[in-house]
Amino acid sequence: MLETMNEVKVLRDPIHGYIHVRLNVVWECINSAPMQRLKRIRQLGGAFQVYHTAEHSRFSHSLGVYEITRRMVEEIQDLRQGLSEEEKVTVMLAGLLHDLGHGPFSHAFESVTMTHHEQMTRRIILEPSEVHDALVRCDPSLPEKVASVIDHTHPNPVLSQMISGQLDADRMDYLLRDAYFTGTKYGEFDLERILRTLRVRQGKLVVKESGMHSVEDYIMARYHMYWQVYFHPVSRSFEAMLTSLFCRLKQMARQDHPDLKRLPFLIPFLSDGPVSVQDHFLMDEPACNYGFNCLRMSEDPIASDLAGRLLDRRLFQDEALSEKGQRERLRCLLMEQGWDPEYYLLSDEVRQRPYQPYQGMENSMAWVLMETGEIRELSQASEIVEALVQGQSRNDQRLYYPRQLQRY
Amino acid sequence: MLETMNEVKVLRDPIHGYIHVRLNVVWECINSAPMQRLKRIRQLGGAFQVYHTAEHSRFSHSLGVYEITRRMVEEIQDLRQGLSEEEKVTVMLAGLLHDLGHGPFSHAFESVTMTHHEQMTRRIILEPSEVHDALVRCDPSLPEKVASVIDHTHPNPVLSQMISGQLDADRMDYLLRDAYFTGTKYGEFDLERILRTLRVRQGKLVVKESGMHSVEDYIMARYHMYWQVYFHPVSRSFEAMLTSLFCRLKQMARQDHPDLKRLPFLIPFLSDGPVSVQDHFLMDEPACNYGFNCLRMSEDPIASDLAGRLLDRRLFQDEALSEKGQRERLRCLLMEQGWDPEYYLLSDEVRQRPYQPYQGMENSMAWVLMETGEIRELSQASEIVEALVQGQSRNDQRLYYPRQLQRY
Amino acid sequence: MLETMNEVKVLRDPIHGYIHVRLNVVWECINSAPMQRLKRIRQLGGAFQVYHTAEHSRFSHSLGVYEITRRMVEEIQDLRQGLSEEEKVTVMLAGLLHDLGHGPFSHAFESVTMTHHEQMTRRIILEPSEVHDALVRCDPSLPEKVASVIDHTHPNPVLSQMISGQLDADRMDYLLRDAYFTGTKYGEFDLERILRTLRVRQGKLVVKESGMHSVEDYIMARYHMYWQVYFHPVSRSFEAMLTSLFCRLKQMARQDHPDLKRLPFLIPFLSDGPVSVQDHFLMDEPACNYGFNCLRMSEDPIASDLAGRLLDRRLFQDEALSEKGQRERLRCLLMEQGWDPEYYLLSDEVRQRPYQPYQGMENSMAWVLMETGEIRELSQASEIVEALVQGQSRNDQRLYYPRQLQRY
Amino acid sequence: MLETMNEVKVLRDPIHGYIHVRLNVVWECINSAPMQRLKRIRQLGGAFQVYHTAEHSRFSHSLGVYEITRRMVEEIQDLRQGLSEEEKVTVMLAGLLHDLGHGPFSHAFESVTMTHHEQMTRRIILEPSEVHDALVRCDPSLPEKVASVIDHTHPNPVLSQMISGQLDADRMDYLLRDAYFTGTKYGEFDLERILRTLRVRQGKLVVKESGMHSVEDYIMARYHMYWQVYFHPVSRSFEAMLTSLFCRLKQMARQDHPDLKRLPFLIPFLSDGPVSVQDHFLMDEPACNYGFNCLRMSEDPIASDLAGRLLDRRLFQDEALSEKGQRERLRCLLMEQGWDPEYYLLSDEVRQRPYQPYQGMENSMAWVLMETGEIRELSQASEIVEALVQGQSRNDQRLYYPRQLQRY
C-alpha cells in the first residue's frame, strides 16, 4: 500500500536543489540504519587524497539517484504514463537502495575480502533488516521486486536501464555530484536537457536526436572524470596501499596475530569465509580508520608502517610501467633496501574509452531516436561518438613503491 | 610611454569577476568613441532570436579578450619573463581592439556590403580616430605594432597566437561568455587550468600534457557551441533574411528608390564603392533597426515585408536540403503563390569539425608539450582528438522560405 | 477557450533553466509584435554604463515574470487548488504583459514626455493590437481581466499581489536577473525556498514562518541592488543627461527646429499632446540611439554635445549635495565658463529603505504565517526587519555637471 | 629561512578555485600528521544530520583560511608593503594551523571533556610534533610567533585581526564553504569585493566605504547561517545527545565500567585529568563512531541506546521552551515512562545578533574608512547595521527528548 505522507518532505541538496519525498516507504528506507550507515562511507574512496573536498558519502549519492529516478517517472511522459504505480515505486526504491551493500573504500576492500557489493545489497533487501522490513510493510513482494531491478531480472527491462544503463540515474548523479565535490568542471553536463529528451521506444530508453549533443557532452564528461578523478594516480596509489595493508592483515589473521584482537570488526573479513549482514553493517570507514590508528602501534612492522602511511598521507610514488624489466629492477632495489616487495611494490592497470557498445550487451549501448523515427545505436547516430568508438582506447599501467626508495 | 594609473581600475564582469586596467592607454582606448560604439553591436548577431538572453555586445567581449590577454602576460611565466613591456602592452591592446571593425549582424552585413571587418579594424587603428590618437599619445609606433599583431605580421608570432590561434584569448572569452549569456552549458571549460598549463616553446604557445584534457574539453565545447548556438537553424534563418533584405536594398539603391532617403546612414553601404571610417562608425544595430522600422512603411513590398518580419520575429521556416529537385520544387511553389524566390527562397551551408590541423597553417594547430619534453601537434597527443580528426566532419545545408507557403 | 499546444514549448533561460509554455494564447502573445518590441528596450536603462554586461532586455524579464507566475499557480498548492483555470491564465498573462507599455530608458523618458507606462500597457491590451487580438481569440473578456490584474482592480486581490506586491513575480525575477546580468551577487536570494513556503490565507499571499529568513534575505538583496545598481551615481548621471537632452529637444520642438525633421519618431513625444499606441510602438532604444547619432551633427550645440556625450559615454561627474550654496556656486562657475546651467547642472535625489509597510497600503506589506497560525505583518515577525523599519532610511542627493568644469 | 618550492603547488578547491602553496614550510605543515588528522574531523559537527552534504572536513577549511590569508598579504597593498616577509609567513601559517586543536564534534566534545581547542592548538605548535618540527626547521622562533598570532599576543595586532576579527579569513572561508557544502545560499557574499576594499589604518584592518555594502551583506550572511545551519534544532538535538552520551560515559568511567576497555582512546577524555598531545591526536571522529558502534552492544542500556540513536539518526525531538513548568512536566512524564531525565531531557539556549560591537573589545568591531578619511565603527557608518545593533537580539531555548515519549 503506497501511503503518501501528509506533506512532501524535502531535503536540501546542492546538485538537485531539493530531494523530494512523498511516499512513506521511501522515507522509512531513508531513515533505516543500513541507509544511515552509508553516511559513514565516502563515495569516492581515496579521491579525497587528491581532491581534498571529495569527502561526500554514498548516502548523499543514493538520495541523488533516487531523485533523478523520481523525476524520470514523474517528468518523462512515456514513463509517467507507461509505468504502473507499482513499477514507479519499485524503480525509485531500487535507485535509492542500489549501493547499500558497499563496504569502505570499495574496490580495494572488495578485491581483498572477496565480498561483492551487489550480492550484499541483495541480501540486505531480502534478508531481515530495517530496509527489508520497511519494504515489506508497504508490500510483501516489494523486496523481491526491488532486488530484481538491481540485478536486471525484472520483467520490465526499462526499470533496470533507468538505474544502470548508459543513461542511468546512477551515473548521471555521480558525475554531477563528484564534479561538484571535487571542484572540477569535467563532470558537468546538461541533465535537464537529457531528461527532457528521454523517451521509451521498443522497450528501451532512447534519447531524441535533438538531445544527442547533450549525450555526447555527457559521454565526454564521463571520460574526463575517469582520467582526472577516478583513475588519478595518487588516488590509485592510496587504493593500492589499502589493498596491500588488507593483504597483510589477512596474512596476520592466518597466523592469529594478537594485534587483531583489538579489531574485532575486521576479523570476519580477513578469513575467506562468508560474512553476515550484521558483520557488513558494522564494517564502515570509521571502523577501518580507527583500526589503522590502532595498527600504528602494532608489533607487525609492515601493518604498522602501511597504516600510518595511509592515515598521514605518506603515499607511495607512482611510475608509468613503460619498459620491460622495470618491475624486476624495482623489486631488486626494494629488496636490497629492506622492503618486502610483496607489500611495497604494487601495480595496477586501468583502461577506459569514452563509450563502447558491445554486441549483445544491451546495457553497454545508448540509443537515439532519430527525427525520422528510426532508432540508432549512439555511435551510428553521432559523428563524434563514432570517431571515439573507432579510435584507440586509453590505458595506463602503473607501479607504486615508497618515495624513500633510493634510485641509482 | 607606459603611464600607469594611480589606482587599478576594475570593471565588474560575470565571466572574469573583474576586468583589471592598470595602463592609461588601455583606459583611454576603452573610453574612446569607436570602442563605445561596440556597445551598440551584439556579439552574436541573430542568436538572440533563439536564445532570448543572448543580447550581450561586442564591447563586453572585447574587454574579456583584453582581460585574458592581460592574465596571460602576467600569469604565464614564459610570457611574463619572455615578452618585453612593449610587447605586453601591444598584445593587450590587440586583444582589446581586434573587433573594432565589425558592423551590425556581422556575417550577413559583410556578405552583402563587401566590407571586411579585419580591414576596417586596421583602418580604425591606423587612420585618425580616437583610438589611433590614444595609441599615438602613448607611443607613435603603437598603432602599427598593434595592427601587425592583428594581421599576423608582427615579428613575434606568439603575440598573434595569443589573440588568434587555437588556444587564443578571443575564442576562450567568447565560448565562456556566449555560454553564460545564452544560458547553455556547452561552452564551459576550465580556463584556469589551461592558463596554468600554457608555456612557450620554440616560438609557439604550447600546453603541458597535464592540461591536455582541459584542451580536449575546450575543443568539444567549441564544437557544441557551433552546432547548438552559432549554427542554430533559427539564427541562420534570421541571418539569411537579413541578407535577403540587404540585397533588396542594394537593388533599390541602384534604382535610387526614394524611401532610402530616410536612411542616409545605410546608403554608403549599398553601392559597391568604398566606405569611410566615419560611415562605418555611424553604422550600428540601432541604425539598422531604426531603418527596418522605417521600411515597414516603404512602398517597396518586399523590403517592407522583410523588415517587419525581422523586427517581429516572423522568421522563415527551415528545412534540411536532402534531395535533388527539392529547391526547384520550392521555387515553383513560391512563384505560383506570388513570392519572388530571389528574396523568399534562401539557403546556406555550414560545416564544422571539432578540430582540424592543416598542414602548413600554424594557426590551425594546437601544440602539446609532452612530459618527455617533446612537442606534438594536439591530434598526435590525444587519442580523443585523433579520433575526431579522422572521423567525418559534420555539415548541414538548409533552405528557408515563408512559413505561409502552402505545401500540397 | 484555453487551447494547449501539442507539446510544451521551452525557451532556455539562464535564470529559470527553461521558460515553459503550454497554452496557445501565451505563445501567441510572446510572438506578437508589441512583445517582440521589448527586445529593443533594455531592462536597466543606463546601468550598462556602469555594469557593462547589463544589456538584457525587458523581453527576457517579461518571460521570467511569466515563468515565476506559472510556477506559482502550478506549484503552490493553495493557488493550484484555489484559483480557477481562468484566473490562472489571467495572472500568467498579466505577468507576461505587465511591461508592454515601457518606453526606452524608462524613467528619464517618462519624466520628460509625460507618458506613463502603466497607462500605455493598459491601452496596448485593451485597444486593437496583436496582443489584444490574441487575447480576444482566446476569450473576449480576457483583455479586460488581464488589465484589471495589472491595475489592481481584479476582484481576486491575490492575482495582483502575485505580480505586484511585496513578494511578487516581477521583483523576484528582476532581482535575480539583474544580479546575473550585472555579475553582482547582491540580488541573489532563495527563490525555491520562498516559492515552497508561500501560502494563501485570508485573501493574502503569506509566507510560512519557516521561510521567513529567505524573505529577510530577499529584502536585503533588494536593498543592496538599489544602492549598488539601480541608484549607482554613474547610471543616474546618464539618466540625468538623457533627461536634459529630452528637455532640450522639447525646447527645439517648440521652436520647430529643422533638425527634428530627421527624427520623425521622436516628434509625437516632444509636444505635450497625447501619443498613439502606434507612436509608442515605434519608439524604442534603436530609434533614440539612431536619433542621438543624427543629433551629433545638429546645428544646436547643446543637443549635439549632449547626444555625443551619451553615445560615447562622456558622462557628467557626480557630487554629493552636502552644503548650502553648493548648487549656486556650481551654477556661477558653469555660467562663467560658458555652460548653460539649465542643461549642464543637473540633480536628483534617491531615497530607499529596505522595507516600509504603510498603514492602509496592502501592497507595501509582506505577511508571515506564524507556526501558531497567526498572520503577522513582516516587521512584526522578524527582529531583523523590525530593526530596519525603525532605523533611518538612506537617501542621496547629487549634482551632475561636465567633468571639464574648472574648479578653483 | 623561507625556502620556496621549485614550482607553486596548487590544490583544487571549489571555493577558491585553487589553493596556492609557494613556501616549503607551508607545504610541510600541510603534509604533517596533525594537519592530515583534520581530514577525520568534520567542519560542522552534527549539521550533516540536517544538510546531508555537510560532510566537509576541518582540513579543507584550514586550507581555505590559509588561502584567504595568502591573498590578503599578496593582494592588499597595505599588507603587501606594510608587513615584513616574516610577518607574512607567520600569519599564513597561523591561518593554516589555527584549528589543529579541535576534537571531534567540537562543542559537544569540549563541553564534556573540559578540553579547549585553543589551548590544544597552542600545544601542538609549541610541543614536539610534526607541525612544530616543520616550523622550527624553517625558523626556530616560528612556533612562538605563530602561536602568538593565534592567541592575540603578537606585537602586530593586524595579524591577529586577519585570522580572527570581524572581517577575518576564518569566518570568510567558513561562511562560503559551509554555504557550498550545505547547498544553501545564505552564506554567500562578495569576497572579492571585500578583499579589494580592505586597507590598514591606525593599526587596524578597515574596509573602504565603497565596500561597506559587501560587509553589510556578509554580516547578514553570517546571521542567516547561524540560524539556518549552525543553530538548526536538529543539529542541536544531535549535539545535545552527544553531550548526554559523553556524560554517561564519564559516569561509567568513574565506575570503571568494563565496556570502556574496548574503547581505550576515549578513556583519557573521560576523567578530568590532563590529556596529552598524543591522546588528542588519536581522538577523531572515526574513533568516536567506531566507539558508538561498540557501545550498541554495551551492557549499559543508556549508553547503548544513545549510541545507536546517534548512528542511526533516531534523534530526540525538539520543542521551544516557552512556558513555566514545561520542563518539569516533561521530566515527570519521562520518569513515569521509564526514561532517566538526566540523559533523556536535554536543553540548550542559543543567542545571536547579526553584529554587536562591545566597548573595549577590539575584535568585536569592524571599521570603515569613510570617503572623508575618517574611521568609523561599522554601526556608526551603516544605517542597516545601526538598526540591527539597536534592534532585539534573537534567542532560542529548546528542550529535547525522545520522540517515543507519550504526551497526554
Side-chain angles (χ1 to χ4, degrees), chain B residues 39 49 55 57 180 265 290, chain C residues 39 49 55 57 265 290:
Chain B
K39 286 182 175 167
Q49 297 289 23
E55 306 175 311
S57 68
Y180 188 88
F265 291 113
Y290 170 86
Chain C
K39 287 182 175 168
Q49 297 290 23
E55 305 175 312
S57 68
F265 290 114
Y290 171 87

Side-chain angles (χ1 to χ4, degrees), chain B residues 319 326-334 399 401 405:
Chain B
E319 179 173 305
Q326 187 179 0
R327 186 194 301 262
E328 198 44 45
R329 273 196 303 280
L330 281 166
R331 164 182 290 273
C332 293
L333 275 176
L334 282 161
L399 297 171
Y401 52 86
L405 185 73

Side-chain angles (χ1 to χ4, degrees), chain C residues 189-375:
Chain C
F189 61 94
D190 191 348
L191 173 62
E192 296 306 310
R193 181 81 186 173
I194 293 184
L195 288 183
R196 278 189 49 76
T197 52
L198 281 177
R199 297 289 182 274
V200 179
R201 291 290 182 281
Q202 306 173 4
K204 283 201 263 271
L205 272 186
V206 302
V207 70
K208 282 175 65 180
E209 191 176 352
S210 64
M212 197 176 66
H213 62 279
S214 303
V215 174
E216 293 169 349
D217 209 27
Y218 159 82
I219 298 277
M220 290 302 293
R222 207 161 81 185
Y223 181 75
H224 280 122
M225 284 301 279
Y226 268 91
W227 287 106
Q228 297 310 313
V229 178
Y230 310 141
F231 290 166
H232 192 289
V234 170
S235 175
R236 283 154 57 196
S237 172
F238 181 83
E239 303 213 344
M241 290 169 71
L242 265 174
T243 308
S244 181
L245 172 57
F246 284 126
C247 288
R248 184 64 178 185
L249 293 176
K250 279 183 87 165
Q251 176 67 15
M252 287 165 72
R254 279 191 288 273
Q255 296 162 357
D256 222 3
H257 195 290
D259 285 352
L260 292 181
K261 298 250 156 57
R262 296 167 64 200
L263 308 170
F265 290 114
L266 267 172
I267 291 169
F269 296 87
L270 299 178
S271 68
D272 291 340
V275 299
S276 70
V277 166
Q278 179 62 9
D279 292 335
H280 173 266
F281 176 71
L282 293 174
M283 171 48 66
D284 54 17
E285 283 189 27
C288 286
N289 282 322
Y290 171 87
F292 300 164
N293 251 334
C294 290
L295 286 170
R296 286 183 194 263
M297 291 157 276
S298 167
E299 308 260 307
D300 183 88
I302 291 176
S304 164
D305 177 61
L306 289 173
R309 284 173 176 274
L310 284 165
L311 289 170
D312 301 345
R313 198 184 180 275
R314 288 177 277 114
L315 304 182
F316 286 3
Q317 96 172 64
D318 67 278
E319 182 174 302
L321 180 58
S322 56
E323 17 163 29
K324 249 182 89 173
Q326 187 179 1
R327 185 194 302 263
E328 199 43 46
R329 274 195 303 280
L330 280 166
R331 164 181 290 275
C332 293
L333 274 175
L334 281 161
M335 284 194 294
E336 278 171 40
Q337 295 174 38
W339 312 88
D340 180 345
E342 191 172 345
Y343 300 105
Y344 286 95
L345 180 57
L346 313 174
S347 67
D348 70 359
E349 176 172 7
V350 290
R351 175 183 295 278
Q352 168 80 353
R353 62 192 326 153
Y355 170 76
Q356 184 61 66
Y358 288 108
Q359 218 50 37
M361 283 186 55
E362 279 289 315
N363 279 333
S364 70
M365 300 187 185
W367 301 95
V368 180
L369 174 60
M370 305 305 288
E371 276 173 28
T372 58
E374 186 195 354
I375 294 177

Side-chain angles (χ1 to χ4, degrees), chain B residues 280-347:
Chain B
H280 172 266
F281 176 71
L282 294 174
M283 170 48 66
D284 54 18
E285 283 190 25
C288 286
N289 282 322
Y290 170 86
F292 299 165
N293 251 336
C294 289
L295 287 170
R296 285 182 193 263
M297 291 156 275
S298 168
E299 308 260 306
D300 183 87
I302 291 177
S304 164
D305 178 60
L306 289 173
R309 284 173 177 274
L310 284 165
L311 289 170
D312 301 345
R313 196 182 180 277
R314 288 176 277 113
L315 304 183
F316 286 5
Q317 95 174 66
D318 67 278
E319 179 173 305
L321 180 58
S322 55
E323 16 164 30
K324 249 183 87 173
Q326 187 179 0
R327 186 194 301 262
E328 198 44 45
R329 273 196 303 280
L330 281 166
R331 164 182 290 273
C332 293
L333 275 176
L334 282 161
M335 284 194 296
E336 279 171 40
Q337 295 174 37
W339 311 89
D340 180 345
E342 190 171 345
Y343 300 106
Y344 287 95
L345 180 56
L346 313 174
S347 67

Side-chain angles (χ1 to χ4, degrees), chain B residues 346-360:
Chain B
L346 313 174
S347 67
D348 69 0
E349 175 172 7
V350 290
R351 176 184 295 276
Q352 169 79 356
R353 64 193 323 154
Y355 170 76
Q356 184 61 65
Y358 289 108
Q359 217 51 38

Side-chain angles (χ1 to χ4, degrees), chain A residues 39 49 55 57 180 265 290, chain D residues 39 49 55 57 265 290:
Chain A
K39 287 183 174 167
Q49 296 289 22
E55 306 175 310
S57 68
Y180 188 88
F265 291 113
Y290 170 87
Chain D
K39 287 182 175 168
Q49 296 289 24
E55 306 176 310
S57 68
F265 292 114
Y290 171 86

